[in-house]
Amino acid sequence: MAHRVRDWFRARGIDAFAARCIAVGMILVIVACTCFGKLIQVQLLDGQATAEAATNSRTSKVVVSAKRGRILASNGTVLAQSVERYNIIGVPDAATSFTPVDCGTKQAKALGYCHSIDGKPVGVSGAAAVARLLAPLLDMDAMELGADLNGTNQYVILKKDVTPQVKRAIDKLNLGGIVYGELSSQRVYAENTLIGALLGGVNDDGSGASGLELTLNKQLSGTDGYTVYQRGNGGEVIPGTVSKTKAAQDGSDVTLTIDSDVDWYVKRVLAEGVASSHAKWGIAVVEDALTGEILALEDSDAIQAGSSEAKASASRAVSQTFEPGSIGKVPALAAILQNGVHKIDDHFTVPYEYTSEGQKFHDAIYHPDKRWTLAGILQNSSNSGMVMAAEKLTSQQRYDMLTKFGIGQATGLNLPGESRGVLGTPSSWDGRTKNTVLFGQGYTVNALQLSRVVSVIANKGVNRQQSLIKSVTDKNGKPVDMLNRSAARVLDEKIANQVRNAMESALEEYKGVAGVNGYRVAVKSGTAEVVGSDGSLSSIIADFAGIIPANDPRFIVTVVMQDPDGSYGGTTSGKLFAKIGEFLMQKYDVPNSPARTDAIPVEW
């Protein structure tokens, strides 16, 4: 082959030297063409991908966390809020190649910063050096930190929920690109046990776990945003490289109808009352008679919101059910009057014991035959009298009135753990239950339902929906009214006023204990025996509910205790009712009541 090439050159008069030059030139052309082709491939074909890869290696997407909305009391007290916190993030890949800058060196002067521990050189490099600098601020062991930072990962959480002060101190360590703070938040609650179990708590991810935190999770939760930008070698943001951003939308603030001042006082009265009477537990509700707003909803349990116990427990104030006892005579009396079976001043001769359909019923305390009106039967809380007066009241009429008063019905507040109690249908009642429901036995309620029963009388026969949520802020931070104003008439106004009049007379027996000086009060007490697991009557529920002032209803106060010394609701829970009632009259500066002049006769 080489001979043919030489012969070809000689035939054309080209000597050997010239031939060699031409060959070398051809080889160079081939090399140049190859390089040029590769350059075209890199620049035109692969250039975009290479540039994108380089950009991607520098690009970071940082989540901008949304703040969870606050839960506030109606008077502005913050019951739950999320405070600024940071998760401290380490980049092990960067930490392992870290070399500290010794102070006083030319490098330190050129960079404008250096690294030291108590004025002395760090002494090591890599992850161990980063750990030594960081450990005192995080209050962690340097060796443990060093182990976390030793590797090739790009992300490791070193510590959660540090304060902004700690985060700023870490920023001053000049560890950009190695350690940084990622905005987070921590849920904190009022430093007391106000409605602790009712508020509930949040999970580790900040979402609602129990209580109102769970029920209101949709309103309280925000939407996270993000920022996309490029980082320099030191971890700093390269100016002008922010390419995408989405602002975080914080969660809505929720304002409850709870007045923290009232709730605090009710909590204190309950705690002292339960302790002094050696009761197992106590519950109290304060309701605005005009609007249905719940101003206080407390129990004697000492559960702090956000605690493990709060996340595992429902509020006793909404979950505990019980037989109401003689407070159940209120809807029974309303049914008798509303259905025209009797008038409020009809005369009865009431024995201690009365027999109906072969079943015997008796009053709590023995007495000879008494000449009472229907109002007097309520005043004296006579079981025998109620059964006697209701002889012509059908089971369906009894049931209908109970349901209209809210017995056996959900309150509509949608509270976690809330029990609606138990109310059987007329077809399920035996001959005895048909009559025991007239005096609050044979069905169960919670404290909110009991308050609702009395509120119907205070509202002149209208069953007004209770409210616990007052407002929720919209996306512009403006409060949106959330009060539930639905209502339904249950009784004629005249009938409701007659029942209230009889309830005012019912205070007479307990006036020295449950009365509030200067104010007329309409009340009803209850005492119910609780059947134990063995079928025996092993416990007592003592409750007391009333309207204050009776002449111009402003508040409903309900108090329930289990097994207090003294047993009877009027002398036990009634005492706490009086303390709460007096506080409400003073706080809201309610005018004293005029003298009572319209009392319905209770005897004949």
Side-chain angles (χ1 to χ4, degrees):
M1 182 67 180
H3 293 294
R4 290 180 182 177
V5 172
R6 284 196 299 270
D7 291 343
W8 188 86
F9 278 118
R10 286 174 183 169
R12 288 162 175 75
I14 301 172
D15 59 19
F17 177 76
R20 284 194 296 273
C21 289
I22 291 172
V24 171
M26 291 176 66
I27 293 171
L28 291 175
V29 168
I30 293 170
V31 172
C33 289
T34 302
C35 291
F36 185 68
K38 187 65 175 178
L39 180 63
I40 291 174
Q41 181 183 359
V42 171
Q43 292 291 333
L44 298 182
L45 301 180
D46 297 338
Q48 184 176 356
T50 303
E52 288 179 357
T55 300
N56 289 338
S57 68
R58 298 192 303 269
T59 300
S60 294
K61 181 177 181 180
V62 177
V63 174
V64 180
S65 300
K67 185 178 289 186
R68 189 172 177 83
R70 299 177 299 170
I71 301 177
L72 302 99
S74 62
N75 57 339
T77 301
V78 178
L79 301 174
Q81 65 178 324
S82 294
V83 296
E84 181 183 351
R85 292 292 184 266
Y86 290 86
N87 294 333
I88 301 304
I89 310 301
V91 183
D93 184 43
T96 54
S97 59
F98 170 69
T99 300
V101 177
D102 291 336
C103 298
T105 62
K106 291 182 179 180
Q107 183 185 16
K109 291 179 181 179
L111 294 173
Y113 65 82
C114 63
H115 303 99
S116 65
I117 299 175
D118 296 330
K120 298 178 181 179
V122 178
V124 293
S125 61
V130 176
R132 287 189 183 184
L133 291 166
L134 201 57
L137 297 180
L138 295 182
D139 193 25
M140 294 177 65
D141 180 73
M143 292 185 67
E144 180 182 339
L145 270 177
D148 291 338
L149 285 165
N150 190 17
T152 58
N153 297 331
Q154 294 293 316
Y155 186 98
V156 61
I157 299 176
L158 301 177
K159 192 166 187 177
K160 290 185 176 182
D161 297 329
V162 305
T163 64
Q165 293 87 340
V166 172
K167 190 263 183 185
R168 287 194 292 269
I170 291 173
D171 290 343
K172 293 178 181 179
L173 291 178
N174 297 300
L175 296 174
I178 301 172
V179 177
Y180 61 94
E182 189 176 77
L183 183 62
S184 177
S185 64
Q186 185 178 29
R187 200 66 166 168
V188 296
Y189 299 89
E191 293 183 0
N192 49 49
T193 56
L194 288 185
I195 58 172
L198 185 61
L199 284 173
V202 297
N203 294 315
D204 290 341
D205 63 1
S207 61
S210 63
L212 290 174
E213 290 278 24
L214 176 60
T215 303
L216 299 169
N217 191 58
K218 182 178 179 180
Q219 293 88 338
L220 294 169
S221 296
T223 303
D224 290 344
Y226 60 83
T227 299
V228 178
Y229 58 86
Q230 294 181 38
R231 290 178 179 270
N233 292 333
E236 71 283 358
V237 178
I238 300 175
T241 63
V242 175
S243 58
K244 291 182 181 180
T245 182
K246 179 183 177 182
Q249 179 66 53
D250 291 341
S252 298
D253 286 347
V254 176
T255 299
L256 306 181
T257 60
I258 297 291
D259 183 317
S260 62
D261 293 338
V262 176
D263 199 88
W264 173 83
Y265 186 79
V266 168
K267 183 77 171 183
R268 193 182 81 173
V269 168
L270 270 181
E272 292 175 351
V274 166
S276 63
S277 65
H278 306 101
K280 289 184 178 179
W281 49 257
I283 299 171
V285 182
V286 176
E287 180 177 343
D288 188 314
L290 304 178
T291 66
E293 295 174 61
I294 303 301
L295 305 181
L297 183 58
E298 274 297 351
D299 55 59
S300 55
D301 298 336
I303 297 177
Q304 177 66 44
S307 66
S308 298
E309 192 174 4
K311 295 176 187 179
S313 307
S315 168
R316 186 187 296 274
V318 299
S319 64
Q320 185 72 54
T321 58
F322 47 88
E323 289 188 345
S326 288
I327 296 181
K329 292 185 172 83
V330 171
L333 175 60
I336 292 170
L337 297 173
Q338 186 69 28
N339 287 286
V341 175
H342 284 290
K343 296 179 181 179
I344 191 68
D345 56 359
D346 280 357
H347 298 176
F348 295 87
T349 300
V350 183
Y352 163 71
E353 186 174 83
Y354 182 78
T355 301
S356 175
E357 298 181 7
Q359 296 287 329
K360 292 184 178 181
F361 303 91
H362 61 80
D363 291 340
I365 300 174
Y366 175 79
H367 62 78
D369 290 356
K370 293 288 185 178
R371 303 204 308 181
W372 289 329
T373 64
L374 190 52
I377 288 174
L378 185 74
Q379 181 199 37
N380 291 279
S381 199
S382 172
N383 297 341
S384 296
M386 289 301 299
V387 176
M388 178 187 296
E391 285 285 10
K392 295 182 180 180
L393 190 68
T394 69
S395 293
Q396 190 63 47
Q397 288 172 327
R398 301 173 195 209
Y399 175 83
D400 288 346
M401 189 57 70
L402 288 171
T403 57
K404 288 178 180 179
F405 269 78
I407 303 300
Q409 315 298 308
T411 63
L413 297 176
N414 299 318
L415 300 175
E418 180 183 349
S419 173
R420 66 173 60 189
V422 176
L423 174 64
T425 60
S427 61
S428 69
W429 292 347
D430 57 25
R432 186 165 189 82
T433 303
K434 168 188 173 182
N435 285 312
T436 62
V437 297
L438 296 169
F439 44 86
Q441 294 181 17
Y443 64 87
T444 61
V445 298
N446 62 33
L448 283 165
Q449 292 170 323
L450 204 55
S451 179
R452 194 172 183 176
V453 165
V454 178
S455 75
V456 171
I457 304 304
N459 275 296
K460 301 179 181 180
V462 174
N463 188 342
R464 188 182 301 279
Q465 175 63 50
Q466 296 168 321
S467 291
L468 188 64
I469 309 302
K470 190 178 186 72
S471 66
V472 177
T473 57
D474 61 19
K475 62 181 180 180
N476 297 316
K478 182 180 179 181
V480 178
D481 186 358
M482 298 297 290
L483 292 179
N484 191 329
R485 292 180 171 81
S486 61
R489 179 160 291 283
V490 172
L491 302 173
D492 293 342
E493 183 175 337
K494 179 181 178 181
I495 298 299
N497 289 340
Q498 290 175 350
V499 175
R500 176 156 51 94
N501 193 307
M503 289 175 66
E504 190 170 351
S505 296
L507 177 69
E508 293 302 318
E509 185 179 353
Y510 305 108
K511 198 166 187 177
V513 176
V516 179
N517 289 336
Y519 297 92
R520 289 164 53 183
V521 183
V523 305
K524 190 67 194 79
S525 65
T527 306
E529 295 177 304
V530 179
V531 179
S533 57
D534 61 354
S536 64
L537 299 174
S538 58
S539 190
I540 293 291
I541 292 294
D543 48 20
F544 198 91
I547 304 163
I548 183 170
N551 57 291
D552 184 18
R554 287 287 307 277
F555 303 101
I556 313 299
V557 179
T558 301
V559 181
V560 187
M561 288 196 289
Q562 182 177 18
D563 292 337
D565 293 343
S567 299
Y568 292 110
T571 56
T572 56
S573 293
K575 188 184 300 183
L576 309 190
F577 169 93
K579 290 182 179 180
I580 295 170
E582 183 178 16
F583 175 83
L584 291 170
M585 297 301 97
Q586 293 175 357
K587 174 178 170 59
Y588 292 99
D589 197 22
V590 178
N592 284 354
S593 299
R596 187 185 186 197
T597 59
D598 61 347
I600 296 171
V602 294
E603 297 179 340
W604 59 277

